[in-house]
Amino acid sequence: MPVYKAPVDDTLFILNDVLGFERYNNLAGFSDASSDIIEAVLQEGGKFAEEVLFPLNQVGDREGCERLPDGQVKTPTGFKQAFEQYREGGWLGLAADPEYGGQGLPYALHTAVGEFMSSANMALMMYPGLTQGAIAAIQVHGSDEQKQAYLPKMIEGTWTGTMNLTEPHCGTDLGMLRTKAVPKGDGSYKISGQKIFISAGEHDMAENIVHLVLARIEGAPEGTKGISLFIVPKFKLNAAGEPGEKNGVSCGSIEEKMGIHGNSTCVMNYDEAEGYLVGTENRGLNAMFVMMNEARLAVGLQGHAIAEVAYQNAANYARERIQGRALSGAKAPEKKADPIIVHPDVRRTLMTIRAFNEAGRALLLWTALKSDIAHRSDDEKEKQAADDVLGLMTPIIKGVLTDKGFDHAVAAQQMYGGHGYIEEWGMSQFVRDARIAMIYEGANGIQALDLVGRKLGLNGGRAVMAFFKEVEDFCAENRENEKLSFFTKHLKKGLGDLQASTMWFMQNAMAKPDNAGAGSTDYMHLFGLVALGYMWAQMAKAASEKLAAGANGQSTYLENKLITAKFYMEKVMPETALRRARIETGADSMMELAAEAF
């Protein structure tokens, strides 16, 4: 049976020692997040993940969701009760606006707890995850009346939310959507059409489901300029603001999926359902992108979270499974063979996953802190700089952490040999669940194109140049430190490859756009390697300083942190040169073959 242990100590090290969380007490909600409160929240969240959510993970995978004859959906055994505990614990509103019933704590703390819970049960956590995105969209673009009507119940978890974009004939190209909205004359609209791949579209865990639906109002322009966003609740609200009459929205079927079986991914049918415009007409994509950006960061977290739980199980197995003898001589002579952890290639696999996981956790929390600054700071310059980083890092976190999350779930499965292919060990589920994260909320090729085609040149390249300067300054400030010079040397080399590749795009992509498309995925991963390397350099600095100060009983943990940092710089960071070389070959060989030759 698989196991899971929430990485509370590692998270505390990042928040307290690397990010210096206490320095941000001037931000709203941070003064309520003392070190004691942070530790208590993480401990309690980890316990809930380990004891309530994780035991249901394989249950959800085996049972899946069932569509009943009346169109209702039954979730797997135990899901409803677990979600009730999640709701009672106030987890959904941890970082939400206190004006609507949230606790207002830092988003970074919400992100940390979110990792634990997604590792424990990704499918179940998608129900509140989609709700949080819907909350964000309504809060930014909804009317005061809509906020008062929907946000308190959604933040409480009594109602859940969804996002409805994809249709059978269009996914990425939303300009092709056909769902229509007809004004009723009373301020509401009749929404008709079909949406597919709607996560948490129908279930039995909430009193109401608030669907956010993209549709085209009659007479609106073609393409993306004519798309509007609507709130379409499962049950219309009565005069008291409570669920009343059933709306014209129903689950036509549940998709048969490769993984995340515990989440009800639905075909949703809208038959003149009553909907209410969010924001202004024909500006629906603008409103929905608030939700999509939240979702993309959350999906990056999912990729990382699955890699973490897969790693924990692979490492446990490698310490226990005996096969063969160490190349340097028997390490367990009293046994018939040595544990496979002694073999260099096993170590290579586990160290690679571990190095990405620990840096990925730091990158997620660093970026979440930027979100807190962007939304809570009173300093406009500081807000803008943080928002720039948030926008730049969104496609990198989504694309890199989900690509690597799947790769590393597969690598962890490989540690088991044939046992990894057998369902009872649980590794197959991690692989299957991780696969979707590379696809939904914008497939990773789209994330790469967004990074290269839009984010690099945004505001004259302000965000990317600021990131380059931050990393350069770190290297310059620490290169004379004998304990850090090793890390800054490798980081500076990786940064050089990233800067050269960025310049190559500037010189070669304007006249020939295919060069940008051909190199975009390599560039996204190159950027990810440097961003993760920057996290490692900061963690190495924090670990070295704590060791020098006495370590407070953490010496083994901190020394292991430095060993893993060294591995990343020696074995992983050199990949930046390969990515750069691929980028600089351009698009010719990729585009030369005629389409009919494929």
Side-chain angles (χ1 to χ4, degrees), residues 134-211:
I135 288 168
I138 294 171
Q139 186 154 8
V140 173
H141 292 282
S143 66
D144 289 341
E145 183 182 12
Q146 289 170 340
K147 293 175 188 178
Q148 293 295 337
Y150 293 99
L151 291 184
K153 293 289 190 179
M154 295 173 75
I155 288 170
E156 183 183 83
T158 304
W159 300 350
T160 59
T162 72
M163 56 193 298
N164 286 238
L165 293 80
T166 307
E167 299 183 6
H169 60 285
C170 71
T172 301
D173 189 356
L174 290 170
M176 297 170 60
L177 71 79
R178 296 172 185 160
T179 299
K180 65 179 182 179
V182 179
K184 292 176 64 178
D186 60 357
S188 66
Y189 293 76
K190 292 188 292 186
I191 311 295
S192 298
Q194 186 179 77
K195 299 289 185 177
I196 63 170
F197 307 157
I198 308 306
S199 301
E202 176 59 52
H203 58 84
D204 58 1
M205 300 193 299
E207 294 176 4
N208 207 355
I209 302 174
V210 181
H211 302 288

Side-chain angles (χ1 to χ4, degrees), residues 507-567:
Q507 296 169 345
N508 294 277
M510 293 296 289
K512 190 173 182 180
D514 278 346
N515 280 330
S520 59
T521 291
D522 278 305
Y523 185 84
M524 178 180 72
H525 280 279
L526 170 51
F527 210 126
L529 287 164
V530 174
L532 293 169
Y534 180 41
M535 297 301 110
W536 267 120
Q538 292 184 80
M539 287 190 286
K541 181 177 181 179
S544 296
E545 289 174 349
K546 285 201 78 173
L547 281 167
N552 294 324
Q554 290 185 296
S555 57
T556 300
Y557 166 82
L558 297 169
E559 286 162 1
N560 289 343
K561 185 68 73 175
L562 290 170
I563 292 169
T564 312
K566 182 180 179 183
F567 174 90

Side-chain angles (χ1 to χ4, degrees), residues 581-593:
R582 286 176 174 168
I583 290 165
E584 293 180 356
T585 61
D588 289 349
S589 62
M590 193 177 294
M591 304 305 294
E592 189 173 357
L593 201 63

Side-chain angles (χ1 to χ4, degrees), residues 5 86 91 99 130 176 203 244 264 292 337 389 523 544 586 589:
K5 177 69 176 174
Y86 176 87
W91 294 110
E99 182 179 350
L130 270 295
M176 297 170 60
H203 58 84
S264 56
M292 289 187 70
V389 172
Y523 185 84
S544 296
S589 62

Side-chain angles (χ1 to χ4, degrees), residues 79-87 124 127-128 157 160 205:
F79 270 43
K80 187 173 183 178
Q81 292 77 13
F83 187 77
E84 180 66 28
Q85 288 182 250
Y86 176 87
R87 180 167 52 232
L124 199 161
Y127 295 93
T160 59
M205 300 193 299

